Amino acid sequence: MITLSKGHIGKMELKNRLMFAPMGYGLDGYGPKAIAYFEDRCKGGAGLIFTHFNVSAGADASSSHGPAFYDGMKAMAAMAHSYGAKACMQLFLGYGRVKRYLVNVLANDPSPVYSASAVPEFFYSDRTCVPYTIEEIKDQLVRVGEAARFIGKESGYDCIEIHAYGGYLGDCFLTERWNKRTDEYGGATIKERSKYITDVIKTVRENVGPDFPIIVKFTPCHYLEGEGYRKMEEGIELAKILESTGIDALHVDAGCYDNWELCMPPAYQQEQTYAVTAAEQIKKVVNVPVLTAGKLGYPEKGESTLADGKCDFLVVGRGMLADPEYANKLMEGRIEDIRPCIGCDEGCIANECERNESIACAVNPDTGFETYRRVPKAEKPKKLLVIGAGIGGMTFAYDAKVAGHDVEIWESRARVGGLLTAAGRPSFKKEVNDLVTYYRVQFAKLGVPIRYNKTATAEDILAYGADEVILAIGDSAIVPRSIPGINGSNVVTAIDALNDTATLGKHLVMVGAGQVGCEAALHLTTFDKTIDIIEMGPHTMPGDVFIQCRRMIDARMAADEKITIHTSTKLVRVEEDGVIVEHEGEERKIKCDTVVLALGITPKKSELYDELKDKVSVRVIEGAPRVLDATAAARVALLQIYGLTEKDYNRSGKKWDSKS
């Protein structure tokens, strides 16, 4: 595989072409948690890791870089080298117009946001950025030099990447839309506006010497039609300008906060990503190596991108969050053992950018918790019976088997996956199916028996003779019985509709415009259904779904001519040929063949616990908070089993104990 072949950036040799992407991780800087987090990826075979160093300017200048920080950097580099990996330090120059990005935390912060020019902030367009002065820029360059000198000569790091992409400060200086300066750091041409970044490059080179590799991460095209956004023609010119400064590689990105979903494409982006498209164009016009990212943590995608000459190195973030052993498993030919990323962006991107929480992963509960090591080997293996093969049951069964327990699963349906099978039905969510396949393969390889179409009774469970029973029976769709007509034969749930276990007419009314309702509607229109969506709230998609996912779904909904959306509209009753709804105090009828309910999920009711609790040790895995975010409940479910809350686990350092 080209992916596993050696590569060079300047005089630096890399053992393979897989790099662990620069991602905000929010742990403890360069402390034990952060080093353990990166160590898992280095141990797993990554050829290079990116970490970061903040050298923002003026009033935004960081004051957190003390002796412990520098010692941590040295420890990080030494750790990477111990596994044959290289360490790259990304110099972060500042947020610019997107500084106030932690919306819920900083909404009332009166402090100014500094950027290249006096342009509107991104998140609060009624507020105007304060331009950096020439003196502040010069001061930043001094500190860039100091940082570069330490990184290049004392830290043990192998290269530097200059941050100039995605609508952040470096990109603000480069972009006509956000750079209105009339001094030496502004101008009408990309050549003039590139002075800020070329000055940074020059300062870094002066302090690291001629042989230390320098990478620049930039955005050649914003893929937006508005005035002043960069188009590819200007991006190509910029790439040539950057190469002419003597840098050693270009790291190509795409988009910006204005179309954030292009920068970190979620599951809905099934086709080739814009970053790969941009990288292909840049590689044609430069002679230095080109790096890029964008859902390349799928072996075939990554390999074909290299084979087709679209880039020279693969920068993988979420794929290595899902499975730190990604590179090693590729090397060993164990592709079926790679735990797949499902592109939900919940534990990674959303945690950093919307929730102010540290890094996590919906499919890998270890991510961000590497110092705790969830489930140690069992000292006294037990015979465990897991009832239910949804995400909670599968996660528990897998971990318990790896810990050394004897595990069997009973599943009432003919397949594993639970609500994940519904989540993976739309063509734009196919990665979810990869996770179900992964668990099915792992259970076969580990020797975990699964009894399908098995309805568990207390009598059968007790006859099995387990030391412990795990009830993971999951959730069911909410059906509000108080609504007249809700029990009619023309009413089905969105889960049944997605699973093809319901008979649907041609014209549907979808009740609920949350994530389930919207995704189900988009899926069903591909089968020539016309759909009226009614939603009690003022808009579609709930606020707890990550912003870039909301934007992509909203755009798809608006473009689908078979969907009509009725917000601030309440379902009053169901009739044989339609529904009566209320909007602004007035009732009216919407005719349809079938009513599809997408009103959320609730834990299934079961008497099994009460029947078993006095006769055998029994535990319950509660369900997910949202059906299409079911995987995010995997860690929560295991925390429940081991008697901890998220707060306990995040802050106390307690370990999950498989012996209890």
Side-chain angles (χ1 to χ4, degrees):
M1 295 181 73
I2 302 172
T3 305
L4 299 175
S5 64
K6 292 181 180 179
H8 290 83
I9 293 178
K11 294 186 177 181
M12 176 179 66
E13 182 178 88
L14 297 170
K15 65 179 181 180
N16 59 40
R17 296 173 186 270
L18 282 168
M19 300 175 169
F20 181 48
M23 303 180 74
Y25 49 90
L27 295 170
D28 55 354
Y30 284 84
K33 292 181 182 179
I35 291 176
Y37 165 77
F38 283 102
E39 182 176 13
D40 267 19
R41 280 78 204 171
C42 292
K43 187 190 303 182
L48 178 144
I49 58 170
F50 288 92
T51 65
H52 70 275
F53 191 112
N54 188 342
V55 283
S56 51
D60 283 342
S62 172
S63 59
S64 61
H65 300 155
F69 181 88
Y70 291 107
D71 288 344
M73 286 173 55
K74 293 178 182 178
M76 184 75 77
M79 177 278 296
H81 295 158
S82 72
Y83 293 101
K86 304 296 184 182
C88 180
M89 180 62 69
Q90 186 182 74
L91 289 182
F92 179 66
L93 303 171
Y95 290 101
R97 65 188 279 265
V98 302
K99 170 70 181 294
R100 217 180 302 272
Y101 73 109
L102 295 174
V103 182
N104 296 327
V105 177
L106 300 176
N108 297 315
D109 184 353
S111 62
V113 166
Y114 292 84
S115 192
S117 294
V119 297
E121 292 184 29
F122 174 72
F123 287 106
Y124 298 92
S125 58
D126 59 329
R127 304 184 189 186
T128 301
C129 299
V130 177
Y132 283 116
T133 65
I134 293 289
E135 291 73 21
E136 287 171 329
I137 294 172
K138 300 300 183 184
D139 176 65
Q140 183 185 28
L141 290 173
V142 170
R143 287 181 297 103
V144 163
E146 293 171 351
R149 187 162 52 253
F150 173 78
I151 294 165
K153 305 206 180 276
E154 298 180 46
S155 71
Y157 270 73
D158 303 283
C159 59
I160 283 178
E161 177 173 272
I162 295 168
H163 187 293
Y165 65 96
Y168 293 95
L169 182 64
D171 198 24
C172 287
F173 273 98
L174 289 167
T175 304
E176 181 183 1
R177 188 178 184 90
W178 306 315
N179 186 342
K180 307 297 183 182
R181 302 177 74 102
T182 57
D183 59 20
E184 62 185 293
Y185 288 103
T189 69
I190 187 62
K191 176 71 174 176
E192 293 170 314
R193 293 192 304 276
S194 68
K195 177 173 170 54
Y196 173 77
I197 292 300
T198 56
D199 277 4
V200 170
I201 295 170
K202 179 182 177 182
T203 301
V204 170
R205 179 60 75 198
E206 288 173 349
N207 284 276
V208 299
D211 297 330
F212 196 79
I214 299 175
I215 305 168
V216 176
K217 186 173 182 182
F218 80 116
T219 304
C221 183
H222 291 124
Y223 293 101
L224 286 163
E225 294 302 320
E227 182 180 351
Y229 290 114
R230 188 156 45 258
K231 306 298 189 293
M232 184 55 73
E233 293 76 14
E234 189 179 67
I236 288 173
E237 184 181 354
L238 175 57
K240 293 177 180 178
I241 291 170
L242 295 172
E243 183 181 30
S244 71
T245 65
I247 62 166
D248 299 279
L250 286 168
H251 184 172
V252 174
D253 196 52
C256 56
Y257 270 64
D258 304 61
N259 57 352
W260 206 4
E261 57 274 11
L262 302 192
C263 303
M264 294 161 284
Y268 308 130
Q269 175 81 29
Q270 291 292 324
E271 63 273 23
Q272 179 175 283
T273 64
Y274 286 83
V276 172
T277 300
E280 182 177 16
Q281 296 300 309
I282 297 303
K283 186 161 169 52
K284 293 176 181 177
V285 299
V286 298
N287 295 310
V288 295
V290 171
L291 296 56
T292 197
K295 303 188 78 170
L296 297 177
Y298 301 91
E300 290 185 359
K301 277 188 180 181
E303 183 68 11
S304 64
T305 301
L306 292 172
D308 292 343
K310 296 175 181 177
C311 70
D312 299 287
F313 291 92
L314 308 176
V315 183
V316 177
R318 291 169 293 177
M320 290 192 199
L321 297 182
D323 197 332
E325 291 283 328
Y326 181 90
N328 285 346
K329 289 177 180 178
L330 271 186
M331 194 178 310
E332 296 163 5
R334 297 166 49 213
I335 292 177
E336 77 281 4
D337 291 337
I338 296 173
R339 184 190 290 109
C341 167
I342 61 170
C344 68
D345 285 358
E346 286 291 329
C348 46
I349 313 302
N351 267 16
E352 179 198 7
C353 299
E354 285 194 340
R355 301 178 187 135
N356 196 25
E357 296 177 7
S358 58
I359 194 82
C361 178
V363 303
N364 179 14
D366 270 345
T367 294
F369 298 87
E370 287 79 9
T371 55
Y372 301 134
R373 299 301 172 203
R374 288 179 303 132
V375 184
K377 289 293 183 181
E379 294 180 4
K380 297 179 179 180
K382 296 178 180 179
K383 182 179 181 180
L384 303 178
L385 177 60
V386 178
I387 309 299
I391 182 60
M394 290 192 299
T395 303
F396 179 85
Y398 176 83
D399 285 337
K401 183 65 176 180
V402 171
H405 296 290
D406 178 14
V407 183
E408 181 165 310
I409 302 173
W410 291 2
E411 168 56 44
S412 62
R413 304 193 333 168
R415 56 189 174 185
V416 299
L419 294 180
L420 289 179
T421 59
R425 286 291 293 171
S427 60
F428 48 85
K429 293 289 290 292
K430 64 182 183 181
E431 285 97 339
V432 174
N433 300 304
D434 295 338
L435 181 63
V436 177
T437 300
Y438 165 80
Y439 273 115
R440 189 167 58 243
V441 169
Q442 296 311 302
F443 291 144
K445 295 182 73 169
L446 290 170
V448 176
I450 304 173
R451 296 185 63 186
Y452 294 102
N453 296 317
K454 174 64 176 177
T455 300
T457 65
E459 183 180 5
D460 287 346
I461 291 171
L462 293 172
Y464 179 77
D467 296 317
E468 190 161 355
V469 177
I470 313 302
L471 297 180
I473 56 177
D475 307 282
S476 58
I478 293 174
V479 180
R481 304 298 177 186
S482 60
I483 296 176
I486 202 76
N487 294 319
S489 60
N490 60 335
V491 180
V492 303
T493 70
I495 304 304
D496 287 335
L498 285 165
N499 281 332
D500 291 337
T501 56
T503 300
L504 304 176
K506 183 176 177 60
H507 185 193
L508 314 177
V509 165
M510 182 74 65
V511 184
Q515 188 175 14
V516 177
C518 292
E519 292 185 359
L522 288 168
H523 170 69
L524 292 170
T525 58
T526 64
F527 296 94
D528 201 29
K529 310 294 184 185
T530 58
I531 303 175
D532 281 272
I533 300 180
I534 62 173
E535 166 58 42
M536 287 184 64
H539 52 74
T540 62
M541 296 291 282
D544 56 350
V545 176
F546 185 36
I547 182 172
Q548 62 187 30
C549 296
R550 296 199 301 269
R551 293 202 310 201
M552 289 192 80
I553 284 293
D554 283 342
R556 286 175 183 260
M557 299 265 285
D560 196 322
E561 296 179 353
K562 295 178 181 178
I563 294 176
T564 303
I565 302 170
H566 310 270
T567 54
S568 302
T569 301
K570 177 183 177 182
L571 175 64
V572 176
R573 65 180 179 273
V574 178
E575 298 183 346
E576 289 185 1
D577 60 345
V579 296
I580 303 299
V581 300
E582 180 185 317
H583 176 70
E584 295 182 348
E586 294 186 2
E587 290 188 1
R588 68 185 183 93
K589 185 168 186 173
I590 302 176
K591 289 192 173 184
C592 67
D593 303 312
T594 311
V595 179
V596 183
L597 302 180
L599 298 172
I601 59 174
T602 186
K604 288 181 180 177
K605 302 298 181 183
S606 172
E607 292 75 34
L608 279 175
Y609 179 80
D610 290 333
E611 294 179 39
L612 295 170
K613 63 181 181 180
D614 296 326
K615 301 171 184 176
V616 66
S617 176
V618 59
R619 303 185 187 187
V620 178
I621 295 181
E622 295 181 11
R626 297 194 309 273
V627 59
L628 297 192
D629 188 27
T631 51
R635 187 177 73 254
V636 176
L638 289 171
L639 286 169
Q640 292 166 348
I641 288 172
Y642 292 112
L644 299 176
T645 65
E646 285 278 359
K647 181 178 179 180
D648 290 330
Y649 190 57
N650 234 335
R651 300 178 182 176
S652 72
K654 292 180 181 178
K655 297 183 178 180
W656 297 11
D657 186 1
S658 68
K659 296 179 288 183
S660 63

